[in-house]
Amino acid sequence: MKIASRTFIVSIVLVAIFSVAYNLSHRDPALGSTSRDWKRIFQIIDENYVDNVDHYACFEKTQSGGISACLDRFSEYFSGKEWKEFSSMVNGRYAGVGMTMKRDGTNIHLFPYPGMPASKAGILPNDVLLQVDSTKITQEEDASENELRRAANLVRGEPGTTVHVTVKRGDAIIGPLFIVREKIVVPSVLYKRIAPTIGYVRIGQFGESTATDFLHALDDLTDYGEDKNMSFIFDVRGNPGGLVDTVVAMLEDMAPTSNDLIITLKYKTRSEEKKAGKEGRFGYAHGVILTDGFSASASEIFAGTLQDWGNFKLVGGKTYGKGVGQVIVPLYRWQSDSPVLKLTTFHYLVGNNRKPVLAKKGLAPDYPVEGALASGDIERFKKDMASHDPTKPYLNLEIDKSLKKALELLSK
């Protein structure tokens, strides 16, 4: 997707809830170091940001809180190095411990990938981050984008080095846990046939390769479309989002008929509709989508559109409810060391009759399911996660209530 302006082309569109870089609550010293930089920054903001901005007030706010203090919490400034790190995370390749971080109010929640260092060390989904090495993570106010960025950067590091992480689980303080960093490669799509006519597809993120990986999964599960009796369980729990073009491409393959509306993007001065040009290869498909409170942005577009088209039901928890998307704009030109701005440029609506996915509203599941682990399942889950093959989906009907409910619905 491309958005033209007077002097540059924006070709990367993001709807991600998370970021990875370096600053906690103070101004990035590299941000707008010259008057030329600030002239360019405000030119970009005026041409792209979703709302009008007072330049003087904006500049004052950035001195203590960065760009997100001036604009909204999803807008950020990245140095060239920070942008390279962010891109590697979106595409699931980086050095660290193998977990994602998601904010919820004052807390930063952790979600380890099965079989990777964080899960082997005993971190469980929804653990709250308290401390990384000697750095405490504040919980006195709503977690900002900068706090999430700093926490992620503190945990990452060179393979073979050790990081000490302390978490809160319920009322208990756990740690410090000693975790040895590794090179991390997170598959964007994992899948498996879990019943003769039911295929499970886990979508971890919407990166550059996800649309191709997703189509390969559907082809493999259906013998390249020959088996039209297959039902699907699409799992986007904990998926923070990713690239708009990726999720649109995936939904085009799922469109029941031609001209189906996928998403409406509402910019400051115009609106744009994304429609399927023809019936998708898997437009006949039906099934269930598993969601939770950390399914955000591109995940909400994916789940909400399929729900709106009527062939899929949502099972699990209400989604995050972000409702806005961003573009990445270089300050001057695309180079490896070029600073960039991530700016909120549009609100989005999904499907034909959908209201905007407003912040803190989210998509309501058709079948609500409580997602917390029962106390008796925690030790078994920790053992499973530590020894699990990360290239395969983790499936356990005894402790995964949402998955169990999905299978019950599709088996009727």
Side-chain angles (χ1 to χ4, degrees):
M1 175 180 181
K2 296 186 178 181
I3 305 169
S5 72
R6 289 196 298 269
T7 59
F8 52 88
I9 298 291
V10 178
S11 60
I12 301 177
V13 184
L14 297 169
V15 279
I17 185 179
F18 67 89
S19 295
V20 289
Y22 132 89
N23 191 358
L24 173 59
S25 60
H26 302 291
R27 177 194 172 208
D28 183 341
L31 172 59
S33 57
T34 69
S35 59
R36 175 174 174 263
D37 289 343
W38 276 104
K39 182 178 179 180
R40 177 61 177 152
I41 287 170
F42 285 127
Q43 178 192 9
I44 293 170
I45 289 173
D46 289 343
E47 292 177 352
N48 294 275
Y49 189 60
V50 72
D51 295 318
N52 294 319
V53 172
D54 180 285
H55 290 193
Y56 178 79
C58 181
F59 179 80
E60 289 296 305
K61 291 177 181 177
T62 62
Q63 303 311 294
S64 60
I67 283 292
S68 60
C70 156
L71 305 178
D72 70 326
R73 59 180 178 157
F74 301 110
S75 296
E76 299 175 86
Y77 174 94
F78 292 88
S79 68
K81 178 182 177 182
E82 292 168 347
W83 169 241
K84 185 177 180 180
E85 292 172 347
F86 177 84
S87 300
S88 70
M89 283 290 289
V90 170
N91 290 300
R93 295 177 180 272
Y94 59 98
V97 301
M99 65 182 180
T100 57
M101 297 182 180
K102 316 224 170 67
R103 61 187 178 188
D104 183 20
T106 61
N107 296 326
I108 293 176
H109 294 256
L110 307 180
F111 294 85
Y113 296 108
M116 294 191 180
S119 59
K120 290 178 180 179
I123 290 179
L124 295 181
N126 260 317
D127 281 351
V128 174
L129 183 63
L130 295 182
Q131 187 167 324
V132 180
D133 290 329
S134 61
T135 303
K136 294 184 178 180
I137 307 301
T138 180
Q139 295 177 286
E140 296 178 357
E141 56 186 19
D142 281 357
S144 68
E145 199 82 356
N146 282 341
E147 288 167 331
L148 196 65
R149 291 171 62 186
R150 184 196 184 206
N153 203 58
L154 288 170
V155 171
R156 290 200 319 275
E158 291 297 318
T161 60
T162 300
V163 62
H164 306 153
V165 177
T166 302
V167 301
K168 184 177 181 181
R169 185 178 301 154
D171 295 326
I173 306 300
I174 310 295
L177 301 172
F178 294 73
I179 311 176
V180 179
R181 300 179 177 100
E182 297 178 3
K183 287 185 177 179
I184 303 297
V185 178
V186 182
S188 65
V189 175
L190 299 172
Y191 66 96
K192 183 178 181 179
R193 185 188 293 258
I194 57 176
T197 59
I198 300 176
Y200 170 90
V201 182
R202 164 69 183 163
I203 306 168
Q205 60 215 357
F206 292 88
E208 293 176 354
S209 67
T210 307
T212 300
D213 296 342
F214 178 69
L215 189 60
H216 172 75
L218 299 188
D219 279 335
D220 198 17
L221 289 168
T222 64
D223 192 19
Y224 289 87
E226 292 296 321
D227 185 359
K228 290 184 168 55
N229 294 318
M230 181 69 64
S231 300
F232 295 100
I233 299 172
F234 296 147
D235 190 347
V236 295
R237 290 175 295 182
N239 183 324
L243 304 173
V244 167
D245 287 352
T246 293
V247 69
V248 168
M250 293 166 66
L251 288 167
E252 286 177 334
D253 284 324
M254 303 296 296
T257 60
S258 64
N259 213 39
D260 280 323
L261 179 62
I262 296 173
I263 184 175
T264 302
L265 309 177
K266 299 180 72 68
Y267 296 89
K268 179 162 54 178
T269 60
R270 62 186 177 87
S271 295
E272 178 183 351
E273 290 184 343
K274 295 284 188 179
K275 293 184 178 181
K278 59 183 179 180
E279 179 181 347
R281 284 186 54 201
F282 295 93
Y284 60 85
H286 68 281
V288 165
I289 305 172
L290 305 183
T291 61
D292 64 10
F294 295 97
S295 304
S297 302
S299 294
E300 294 175 297
I301 295 171
F302 181 78
T305 301
L306 291 178
Q307 184 189 38
D308 187 76
W309 286 345
N311 290 341
F312 282 79
K313 300 295 184 182
L314 270 55
V315 171
K318 184 177 69 173
T319 64
Y320 180 81
K322 186 183 176 189
V324 292
Q326 290 73 43
V327 297
I328 298 298
V329 187
L331 246 62
Y332 300 106
R333 57 185 178 272
W334 283 113
Q335 293 180 338
S336 60
D337 60 347
S338 173
V340 302
L341 293 178
K342 177 164 74 79
L343 293 180
T344 294
T345 60
F346 59 86
H347 299 277
Y348 59 80
L349 299 79
V350 294
N352 290 290
N353 303 301
R354 183 79 60 184
K355 295 179 180 179
V357 183
L358 298 175
K360 300 183 180 179
K361 297 290 184 181
L363 300 170
D366 299 288
Y367 298 92
V369 177
E370 172 61 43
L373 285 173
S375 58
D377 295 327
I378 290 178
E379 288 305 315
R380 176 177 177 179
F381 183 73
K382 286 171 61 177
K383 183 178 180 180
D384 288 349
M385 291 279 282
S387 60
H388 186 73
D389 182 349
T391 65
K392 297 178 181 179
Y394 176 73
L395 302 168
N396 189 325
L397 290 177
E398 294 184 21
I399 64 177
D400 191 337
K401 304 180 187 70
S402 291
L403 180 61
K404 183 177 181 180
K405 180 63 177 181
L407 279 172
E408 290 175 355
L409 292 170
L410 296 180
S411 299
K412 290 182 179 178

